[in-house]
Each structure stands twice: as structure tokens, then as C-alpha cells.
Amino acid sequence: MCGICGELRFDGRAPQLDAVQCMMDRLARRGPDHAGSFADGPLAFGHRRLAIIDLSPHANQPMVDPQLDLAIVFNGTIYNYPELREELAARGHRFFSGGDTEVILKAYAEWGEDCPRHLHGMFAFAIWDMERQRLFAARDRFGIKPFYYSEIEGGLRFASTTQALLAAGGVDTGIDPLALHNLFTLHAVVPAPRTILRGVRKLEPAHSLTLEADGSRRLRRYWSLRAERPAEPRSEEAWTEAIHEALREAVRRRIEIADVPVGVLLSGGLDSSLLVALLAEAGVSELRTFSVGFEDQPEEKGSEFEFSDPVAERYATRHHKYLIPNEEVLKRLPEAVDNMAEPMFGQDAVAFYLLAEQVSKEVKVVQSGQGADEVFAGYFWYPRMAEAGGAPLERFRRHYFDRDQEEYLRMIAPEYAGADHTAALIEERLSQPGADEYIDQVLRLDVTTLIVDDPVKRVDNMTMAWGLEARVPFLDQQLVELAAAMPPEYKLGSGGKHVLKRIARGRVPDAVIDRPKGYFPMPALKYVRGEFLDFMRGILDSDACRRRGLYRRDYVEALLAEPERHHTRILGSKLWHLAALEFWLQRNVDAG
């Protein structure tokens, strides 16, 4: 896994190599093992490498194939690259390295713009075709790997983070009003292609982008998720066995496709505990597991060690626990925000950041349980949506939106007010064909749109800030496609994740399986008081915040007066939402 960047000129001028170097410098934490650059005519690439597969210099990037006149920068992991390599070799291709990067190059030479269809994994890459003077970029099906870009005068730049683009200059940093509406309605999710900044866009998951040297382009979707029942009905037993086998295979691939040790982020929940069990069954010895906890609040415990410890003991893992005091959280919060490619409201972002710091001292790769709740209906709002009556949008809005349009207009300054943009977007996404039942529509939306810019982005940003690769078996393409076809009752049953609970029974302690759904706890950012309240007050009362003028002051003052009375449906602090966006803008935009 790595950091990628580049610039393509449309005006006949040479790319600005100093701007590419600025982007590379900002990506250094994502790739501490090697730095490289490449230029050809109107194109320049930059790359920072985190060496995971084929640790030799032969796999360094940018990778250039002089026989094919192709060059590539790539971030991610292709789990089926050994099979693809064999197939491409049989078609006459010859390889000079042993990793997955060159396989993508050869796949493009063989299949052109169809090559992403053949790739099974997480990826964001750009290929320069020297003969045709054409740039081809693609992003994986679930947006696990980021791809940001910015239109500049006479060209386009791309990078793995917003910060890299800002470092290169020339970015319109004005606030996008539609993205602002998304941000405050969908728990900080801004679906691609938008971001909170007008001048920064992101390639949509499951899409490729082809750019010609004259600036013409085409955007293409190469995959869609179908949530339809198969023609031949299956029993619950058959579905359970099929999901079990697909999950075993997903876990196996993500442990075998690496030339370095792989650990597990063990939260104490069902998902990560099941990963540990399946890895142990696969014969992985000396498995390293990692857990983090924080100080308790009167309303909520700050750790799940009581659930993670028995799992580590059962499978005799090399377990590491880290208990982070609140004073450390507040002190390190600015660092975490500096490494967020976009503003994040999730309380666990700083938790992942501090955990990743410690884990990166032990391993370079971890498996994580992100995606299980979205794929297998683990959250409490899914059954409520399924049981509710009314139009699809209203059923979703009632149980998910952080604030309604009336409150949004009371919160936001008049110049940023407008129509209910998020409702229109969600209604359009829910109504797309290829889903049999309402809950199929909801889960498909979550897996293909919402998860991309909340937990998936959060984990990538916070782990890669420490040169740590996070792999997510529950977002394996074949597993997700199988789960989408499964009847909803096998997901919604047993309080959610029914089929996973069946697989886990006997492998994971009953206390972990039968406990209420937990959330990565960071109580101090949910129940805002004391020094955390002072911190947020300082942000929202600052001159920068007042000059920016995003929020109505009466709304801000009401939240500051009684912060613990104002929570979203998903139990987030509304005060933290306001402070989080403003703090991100101060740290990443205003700081220059």
C-alpha cells in the first residue's frame, strides 16, 4: 500500500515537477519505504511506497514497462494477482518483478479499459500510455483506496489525499454547499464525486476515468452490485455454508498475499473476533492481535477489553492492549485531524489513529472487521427501517439522517442554505434497479456509497498515517455479492448479522456473540464536558470560525450551553460535528 500522485497537462506545457514533489512530501507517511517519480511529455507521476509484496527494488514505483510503453502508480493490493499472472503469462506476457503492480500493467495491456473487472482487491491506480498519450485511472469497487483529483489551470492533478493536492497549490478551497448538506446529514459522508472543497473531487468507487492529452475524458462504471435472489432457492443451511466458505477464502487471501506478518485489530465485537477464529482455523500461528481502550464516562465504558481478552486467550494470540488516557486523546487529536483527507465526525477516528501508531511498531499489515455491519445488517436502524411503513426515502430519513432540513436551515448560514440536496440524492440511489426488497436497497446503498466515506475512509486514513495497511475481508467482492443475494431475514435475524452469529457459534465466546451491538467507544467525544468542551468552545468561538461564517451563532450558542442534550439519531454529539468541520478547515485549509 502506498501514496500516489501525478499531474497531466492539457495545454502543451510540461508538468510542474516541483508541485509533484510537494505532493510526494505530503504522502511520505503513507509510504516510508521508497520514493520515486517519472515524467513523460505532459505527464508526471510521484509515488511513496509501503513495501508489502515483493520487497525487492524490482517492485518500486512508478513502474515503467519499456516494452509496452506503459507506466503506473498504484496503491492497494490485488489478491488474485498470482492467478492473473499465470493467465497473462500464458497469453505471452513476460514479468520482471514478483508483485501485483506489474500484473496490473500487463492486465491493462491485455484488456485495456476492461482490466479493473479482472482485479480482485483494493486499489487506486493510474496508468500512462506513452504511445497514445493517455491516462487511465481506476478505483476499486468499494472505494477502499482513495483517489482525489483537482482541476487546475491547463491540467489536472491527482493524489491519495486532499492534503497532497492542497500542498501543490492552485486548488479552489471554497465550500461546496451540496457537500456541506451531505456532511451534516449523513454522519460526515460526502458521496463521490464531491468533497467539502469545491476544487477537490474524488473518483467514484467501481469507476474508471480515461483522460486524453487534450483534456477530453470519459468516466465509466465497470461494476454494479445486484441485490436479487437467485433463480434456485437455497435453504438457510446452504446460505450459511456458502457465506462461511466465502469468508474463509476472503480471510485466507488477505493473510497469504503478503511478504510481511499480518495482525488483527481486535475490538471485542463479533466481526474482528470471528476473523481471529478463522485465521486460527486456517493454521496461522503466533497471530498478533491489538486492542485499544479509553477512559470510562459515567454513561459508557471506554474499552471492550472484557470481550477482546477472552478471544485472545482462547486462540493464544500475541495480544497487545493499549489504554489511552483522555489527556492523550485531546493532545493528539490535532495530529489525527491533520491526517484526515476529509472532515470526519466518527468518534473512533482518533482511536484508530492512536491504535495504528502502536500497531505499526509490530506489523505492517492488519485485518479489520469494517464492512460486516453494512453487508450483514448489524446496525440497530436496519430492522427499524425494514418494519417501518411509508415511502422508501422517508423510512430511511426517519432512522438515519443526523438532522432534518428544518434544523439544517437553523444551523447553517443563509449563503449556504438551499434545497434538501441529500434527500434527493438518497432517493435516487435507493430507487436504482437491481434490488428485490427495500432492505436490499438500503444495504446496497450503504455498501456502495455510505461506508466508502465513513468507516472505510476513516480506517485507511488513520492506519496509513503510520504506514500500516488495513485489509477488510468483509468487503471482499465475492463475499459481498453473495451476501447481497441472500434473503434479508438471514441478515436481520438474531438482532442483526444472523448468519455471522451462526458461523461464530462455538468459535467465539457466547458473551461476544450475544452482547448488544457495540461501537468503538470514545466517550469523551460523545458526552462532551470538561476540557473537551473547552476545546470545542475554543474552536467555535475562534476568529477563524466567526470569519468563515458557516454557522448561525444562535445555533452554536445553544449547543455550547447544553452540549449533552444535543445528539444525533446515531448517538453522535452535534457540537462535535460543528467543531470537527471547523477544526479540519483550520488545520488543513487555513494553515496553508
Side-chain angles (χ1 to χ4, degrees):
M1 209 173 315
C2 311
I4 64 174
C5 62
E7 178 176 322
L8 177 63
R9 304 297 306 188
F10 307 137
D11 56 6
R13 299 169 57 191
Q16 299 179 39
L17 300 184
D18 57 343
V20 174
Q21 184 61 53
C22 285
M23 291 192 287
M24 288 176 61
D25 292 343
R26 290 303 299 267
L27 295 170
R29 292 181 64 158
R30 292 183 69 94
D33 296 329
H34 177 265
S37 59
F38 166 83
D40 176 68
L43 180 282
F45 279 158
H47 189 269
R48 296 291 313 212
R49 184 184 182 199
L50 177 64
I52 302 294
I53 301 172
D54 184 359
L55 308 183
S56 76
H58 296 295
N60 285 341
Q61 299 183 49
M63 181 176 284
V64 180
D65 189 325
Q67 300 300 315
L68 298 175
D69 276 344
L70 298 175
I72 185 173
V73 284
F74 160 55
N75 170 29
T77 303
I78 307 302
Y79 299 117
N80 67 331
Y81 90 88
E83 298 94 319
L84 286 176
R85 181 187 176 100
E86 186 176 333
E87 179 181 355
L88 290 163
R91 292 170 178 257
H93 294 277
R94 297 293 174 261
F95 292 83
F96 53 81
S97 69
D100 50 354
T101 304
E102 189 182 1
V103 170
I104 302 175
L105 269 183
K106 299 311 201 266
Y108 178 77
E110 184 67 30
W111 296 303
E113 293 184 7
D114 278 336
C115 77
R117 299 177 187 269
H118 297 261
L119 305 178
H120 182 183
M122 52 182 185
F123 54 83
F125 65 81
I127 294 175
W128 177 241
D129 186 326
M130 289 177 256
E131 181 180 352
R132 296 180 178 86
Q133 297 285 281
R134 174 184 297 161
L135 184 70
F136 176 76
R139 192 176 181 199
D140 67 71
R141 294 163 181 82
F142 305 110
I144 302 169
K145 294 292 99 192
F147 191 100
Y148 294 93
Y149 63 92
S150 180
E151 306 278 354
I152 59 172
E153 184 177 355
L156 178 143
R157 292 188 183 124
F158 69 88
S160 297
T161 69
T162 301
Q163 287 84 351
L165 293 174
L166 292 172
V171 176
D172 179 357
T173 58
I175 300 296
D176 182 324
L178 272 69
L180 188 68
H181 196 283
N182 296 160
L183 188 88
F184 280 112
T185 308
L186 301 172
H187 330 324
V189 169
V190 177
R194 295 183 183 275
T195 77
I196 193 64
L197 302 180
R198 282 198 302 255
V200 177
R201 291 295 178 254
K202 52 199 175 194
L203 183 58
E204 296 175 64
H207 280 72
S208 65
L209 176 65
T210 302
L211 289 162
E212 307 292 348
D214 63 0
S216 60
R217 65 194 65 186
R218 58 184 172 275
L219 182 68
R220 182 185 186 201
R221 175 184 285 277
Y222 65 83
W223 178 84
S224 297
L225 180 62
R226 312 291 295 186
E228 300 167 316
R229 308 291 88 79
E232 292 293 328
R234 297 185 187 184
S235 67
E236 181 179 340
E237 291 295 331
W239 278 112
T240 302
E241 181 51 40
I243 293 292
H244 191 179
E245 180 54 37
L247 182 55
R248 267 196 301 247
E249 178 63 14
V251 170
R252 183 191 65 80
R253 281 188 176 275
R254 283 159 182 78
I255 200 76
E256 290 184 353
I257 305 300
D259 294 328
V260 296
V262 179
V264 177
L265 300 182
L266 179 58
S267 69
L270 170 67
D271 315 324
S272 59
S273 299
L274 184 54
L275 293 182
V276 171
L278 294 177
L279 286 164
E281 287 185 359
V284 177
S285 60
E286 295 291 303
L287 181 63
R288 297 172 173 89
T289 53
F290 307 89
S291 301
V292 66
F294 299 90
E295 290 182 30
D296 297 342
Q297 294 282 67
E299 301 88 345
E300 184 176 17
K301 296 191 69 170
S303 81
E304 297 186 338
F305 293 156
E306 64 183 292
F307 298 107
S308 57
D309 286 354
V311 175
E313 290 167 8
R314 173 178 288 201
Y315 291 105
T317 70
R318 294 172 56 182
H319 192 48
H320 303 73
K321 291 194 300 185
Y322 308 100
L323 184 61
I324 312 294
N326 280 345
E327 62 182 24
E328 182 72 4
V329 173
L330 195 54
K331 183 173 71 175
R332 305 293 299 283
L333 187 57
E335 290 177 44
V337 171
D338 290 348
N339 285 281
M340 296 175 180
E342 300 176 65
M344 299 179 189
F345 297 164
Q347 305 151 25
D348 59 359
V350 66
F352 275 110
Y353 181 79
L354 295 173
L355 177 59
E357 177 183 22
Q358 301 302 322
V359 175
S360 66
K361 299 173 184 177
E362 304 290 334
V363 295
K364 276 186 161 184
V365 182
V366 288
Q367 294 200 24
S368 183
Q370 271 63 43
D373 287 302
E374 292 81 1
V375 174
F376 293 101
Y379 293 124
F380 68 82
W381 53 85
Y382 295 133
R384 294 180 183 180
M385 290 179 183
E387 294 164 6
L393 171 63
E394 293 311 311
R395 295 165 73 179
F396 189 91
R397 185 207 306 262
R398 191 180 314 139
H399 298 290
Y400 193 89
F401 282 12
D402 283 337
R403 46 187 61 75
D404 58 24
Q405 178 71 353
E406 180 184 355
E407 181 180 356
Y408 182 79
L409 294 177
R410 285 191 285 109
M411 177 190 79
I412 212 72
E415 55 265 41
Y416 294 102
D420 194 346
H421 305 297
T422 305
L425 172 68
I426 295 300
E427 186 170 42
E428 184 272 327
R429 298 284 174 102
L430 286 172
S431 66
Q432 291 175 354
D436 280 354
E437 301 181 37
Y438 175 69
I439 203 65
D440 293 319
Q441 296 174 321
V442 170
L443 294 175
R444 181 183 59 182
L445 168 68
D446 223 339
V447 170
T448 60
T449 303
L450 302 180
I451 189 177
V452 174
D453 283 293
D454 188 17
V456 167
K457 176 175 65 186
R458 190 157 68 241
V459 171
D460 172 84
N461 286 190
M462 298 298 94
T463 55
M464 287 303 293
W466 297 104
L468 178 68
E469 174 175 305
R471 297 179 173 182
V472 282
F474 289 105
L475 290 180
D476 177 87
Q477 173 197 343
Q478 294 168 347
L479 176 64
V480 171
E481 289 173 341
L482 182 65
M486 185 170 65
E489 57 264 30
Y490 302 147
K491 290 172 267 194
L492 292 169
S494 303
K497 296 191 284 197
H498 173 71
V499 67
L500 293 187
K501 290 176 179 177
R502 287 199 59 182
I503 295 168
R505 192 72 67 182
R507 294 179 171 86
V508 172
D510 288 348
V512 173
I513 299 171
D514 298 327
R515 59 177 291 211
K517 162 67 185 169
Y519 300 88
F520 207 154
M522 179 63 256
L525 289 177
K526 183 195 291 189
Y527 305 102
V528 180
R529 56 182 71 120
E531 59 184 354
F532 282 82
L533 176 57
D534 294 340
F535 171 73
M536 295 181 200
R537 186 186 304 276
I539 294 169
L540 295 170
D541 278 346
S542 67
D543 291 341
C545 182
R546 291 175 179 274
R547 283 195 305 271
R548 201 178 325 274
L550 283 177
Y551 311 131
R552 291 179 178 267
R553 291 309 303 180
D554 57 345
Y555 185 89
V556 173
E557 296 302 331
L559 265 58
L560 285 170
E562 296 181 292
E564 295 182 41
R565 287 193 58 194
H566 299 276
H567 285 87
T568 70
R569 293 182 178 91
I570 314 300
L571 300 179
S573 164
K574 291 184 177 181
L575 181 63
W576 170 237
H577 288 194
L578 270 62
L581 171 59
E582 175 60 31
F583 195 47
W584 187 88
L585 291 169
Q586 291 181 17
R587 300 285 302 185
N588 293 286
V589 177
D590 299 351

